[in-house]
Amino acid sequence: MIKLYWNFRTLLACALAAVAFAAFAVTVPGFTNLGNLYALLQTFAPLALVAVGLAIVMIAGEFDLSIAGLMPLAGLVAVRVSEAAGIPVGIAAAILTAAVVGLLNGWLTVRFAVPSLAITVGTLVLTIGLGFAVTGGKVVTLTNYEFGLWLDEGILGLLSPRALFMLLLVAGAVWLMARTWHGVVIRATGSDSARAAASGLPVGRTLIMVFVLSALFAGIAGSLQGLSLAAGSPGDVLTFLLQVVTAAIIGGVALSGGKGQIGGVVAGALLLAIVGNGMSLQGTSTAVIQLVNGGLLLTIVIFDGPLNRLAQRSLERPAPASQPAA
């Protein structure tokens, strides 16, 4: 029953995304134009990548708020270092920065047994502060904007190299969670970390790994966005974080950890990208779109707990005793 419920959540996310696409295709002129579909995928790719990274952390029973500060910081580092030492070095520096932040999140969580929510609030503030320290509160620009133009160049008018690379990483994460031993250990850690550790599973290393993976995905998305715009600015992306969390929960990731399908998270990100794109074409303000995203998140959170408990009770209900033979 439990497996059926979480598989249903994944199918529900896919169905909602399909229904939303069909509804906007019928009601909004130009929604299915090639140019708009390109814009839709440009929005969907980074949202799916960062949402998948956060979802893996949530399946492991933890949470990562630091991505809201890490994305702008990675963009700043990529732009600033690229301007001084070249784009390959800039990308490497941004990825290294993200890995260090993820390693710090994981190590502090494991070493001091502190809730990751508290740890990542601290690293969120730290990354925002580092961004302002690096730039002095100013916008950083990149004079070599040709690489950014190439990143967003259309492939068959539908995908850009930037979006294609991020979607390939998403596919790799789906494979990791569905087909490898690491995915099994991550789920076991999120379900019951004490029992997983007693069984000899590397719980500590697993938690560090998922935080590094989440940070790398956020850092890659942030650095590519910065290079695409040839500019970066300090601050946070809390609105984007709200979308990422919403995508993960809509996709069926349990708030209690241990459960969830990465395919459902991808469908949740697609649903949010479709809704945002379609409403923008209708002339809806950004504030209203954010309200819709927040409403979706609250609805899922409110119903997630009772439905999960119902499924759990049905699993724990004893089977009826068999009748003795005549």
Side-chain angles (χ1 to χ4, degrees), residues 152-201:
D152 290 332
E153 185 177 343
I155 302 174
L156 300 178
L158 192 61
L159 273 175
S160 69
R162 176 164 66 105
L164 179 60
F165 177 67
M166 288 189 280
L167 292 178
L168 287 175
L169 290 177
V170 169
V174 172
W175 173 81
L176 172 74
M177 293 299 294
R179 300 294 182 184
T180 70
W181 174 247
H182 295 294
V184 175
V185 177
I186 290 170
R187 294 184 190 280
T189 300
S191 297
D192 191 333
S193 59
R195 181 177 295 181
S199 301
L201 297 179

Side-chain angles (χ1 to χ4, degrees), residues 7 59 83 107 149 196 288:
N7 287 339
I59 292 172
E83 183 69 14
W107 182 79
L149 293 176
V288 174

Side-chain angles (χ1 to χ4, degrees), residues 18 58 65 112-113 145 153 206 212 238 261 265 273 301 304 319-320 322:
M58 293 172 65
L65 288 172
F112 297 102
Y145 54 84
E153 185 177 343
T206 297
V212 171
L238 291 176
Q261 302 292 334
V265 177
V301 168
D304 176 75
S322 60

Side-chain angles (χ1 to χ4, degrees), residues 22-87:
F24 284 118
V26 172
T27 60
V28 179
F31 181 78
T32 55
N33 288 350
L34 196 60
N36 187 64
L37 293 179
Y38 168 85
L40 174 60
L41 290 175
Q42 287 288 94
T43 302
F44 164 66
L47 178 58
L49 180 63
V50 182
V52 164
L54 177 62
I56 293 174
V57 174
M58 293 172 65
I59 292 172
E62 302 295 341
F63 204 84
D64 187 4
L65 288 172
S66 66
I67 56 179
L70 179 57
M71 285 186 66
L73 178 62
L76 286 172
V77 170
V79 172
R80 172 62 69 87
V81 177
S82 294
E83 183 69 14
I87 289 175

